[in-house]
């Protein structure tokens, strides 16, 4: 129903219950879900605290539960990605870059899909953009886009071209900026993505 304030309230009740039961797995799970809801509400400080709590609990829990079906390194990587997004929104770029890079390395290590790895490259590129380190941002967006082109993923191709264009614009290269906006616009028109057309 998209009633996020109510959702956060009930996740809070669940989290308290799991804490009273010392149910570490469900504390991690509920912290992540509650954190995502608060992130969508723009409460990045609280969401970051929830994601960090889940990450801190993961290591000790994993020592005695490795190999179980309901938990794996991909869960840790997801929590790191979520934390990185909240930290970037808080302006804590160095910390954000650290967690996105750790998530990327972990996803490569566990041989996650090329799409998941490429999406993490986009996250890293976004942090570099926020830091005004545009050439590094472009490098990550281009590498990610190679994967999205292979996968024929129009949604992320459009985003990458747009992000590359923005980075070139900040660097003062108007020609390259427009060229990338036009690539993004071409995809949006072909897929009848009205939001993408308007953005480009």
């Amino acid at each position: 129903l998209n009633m996020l304030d109510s959702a956060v309230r009930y996740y809070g009740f669940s989290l308290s219950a799991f804490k009273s039961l010392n149910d570490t797995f469900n504390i991690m799970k509920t912290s992540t879900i509650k954190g995502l809801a608060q992130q969508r509400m723009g409460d990045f400080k609280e969401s970051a605290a929830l994601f960090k709590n889940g990450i801190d609990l993961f290591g000790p829990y994993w020592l005695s539960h490795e190999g179980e079906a309901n938990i794996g390194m991909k869960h840790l990587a997801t929590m790191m990605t979520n934390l990185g997004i909240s930290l970037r929104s808080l302006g804590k770029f160095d910390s954000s870059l650290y967690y996105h890079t750790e998530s990327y390395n972990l996803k490569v290590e566990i041989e996650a899909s090329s799409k998941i790895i490429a999406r993490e490259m986009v996250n890293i590129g976004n942090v570099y953009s926020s830091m005004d380190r545009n050439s590094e941002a472009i490098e990550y967006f281009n590498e990610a886009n190679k994967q999205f082109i292979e996968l024929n993923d129009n949604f992320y191709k459009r985003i990458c071209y747009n992000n590359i264009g923005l980075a070139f614009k900040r660097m003062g290269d108007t020609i390259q900026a427009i060229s990338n906006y036009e690539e993004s616009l071409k995809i949006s028109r072909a897929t009848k993505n009205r939001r993408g057309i308007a953005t480009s």
Side-chain angles (χ1 to χ4, degrees):
L1 296 173
N2 206 33
M3 297 167 63
L4 295 174
D5 52 349
S6 295
V8 165
R9 182 167 178 257
Y10 284 100
Y11 289 141
F13 293 150
S14 298
L15 194 53
S16 295
F18 289 131
K19 284 178 178 177
S20 69
L21 295 166
N22 292 317
D23 186 339
T24 304
F25 174 77
N26 279 303
I27 291 170
M28 287 189 292
K29 183 177 178 181
T30 309
S31 292
T32 297
I33 298 168
K34 186 172 186 278
L36 286 169
Q38 295 201 253
Q39 193 179 68
R40 286 181 61 196
M41 291 173 68
D43 188 351
F44 300 113
K45 187 175 182 180
E46 182 59 27
S47 66
L50 286 161
F51 297 138
K52 182 67 166 62
N53 182 56
I55 290 167
D56 290 343
L57 290 171
F58 184 90
Y61 185 83
W62 181 249
L63 287 174
S64 56
H65 293 81
E66 185 175 353
E68 290 187 4
N70 62 351
I71 190 74
M73 284 294 169
K74 68 178 182 178
H75 297 98
L76 177 60
T78 299
M79 288 189 287
M80 287 177 169
T81 295
N82 293 334
L83 178 55
I85 290 168
S86 288
L87 288 170
R88 182 170 77 91
S89 297
L90 289 167
K92 298 182 177 181
F93 303 132
D94 288 334
S95 296
S96 176
L97 186 59
Y98 170 80
Y99 283 105
H100 281 305
T101 303
E102 287 292 300
S103 179
Y104 170 80
N105 290 336
L106 191 51
K107 286 169 180 174
V108 170
E109 184 183 319
I110 64 175
E111 299 180 341
S113 72
S114 57
K115 181 174 182 175
I116 287 172
I117 291 170
R119 282 168 60 183
E120 200 59 54
M121 286 181 182
V122 172
N123 286 326
I124 293 171
N126 285 335
V127 181
Y128 278 127
S129 287
S130 297
M131 299 169 85
D132 206 25
R133 292 166 62 176
N134 295 298
S135 59
E136 289 157 295
I138 290 167
E139 185 180 329
Y140 275 92
F141 292 141
N142 273 326
E143 283 301 310
N145 206 23
K146 287 177 187 175
Q147 296 299 318
F148 296 131
I149 289 167
E150 280 189 25
L151 295 165
N152 197 29
D153 188 319
N154 287 318
F155 178 81
Y156 276 102
K157 281 195 292 181
R158 173 181 66 80
I159 287 173
C160 283
Y161 281 123
N162 228 35
N163 287 352
I164 293 165
L166 288 166
F168 273 120
K169 180 187 173 189
R170 283 190 296 270
M171 293 170 74
D173 192 336
T174 308
I175 293 171
Q176 284 290 343
I178 291 171
S179 174
N180 279 279
Y181 295 149
E182 285 176 343
E183 286 298 321
S184 182
L185 183 58
K186 194 186 302 180
I187 294 167
S188 295
R189 283 180 171 151
T191 56
K192 295 182 169 66
N193 185 318
R194 293 174 68 187
R195 182 185 292 273
I197 290 167
T199 302
S200 297

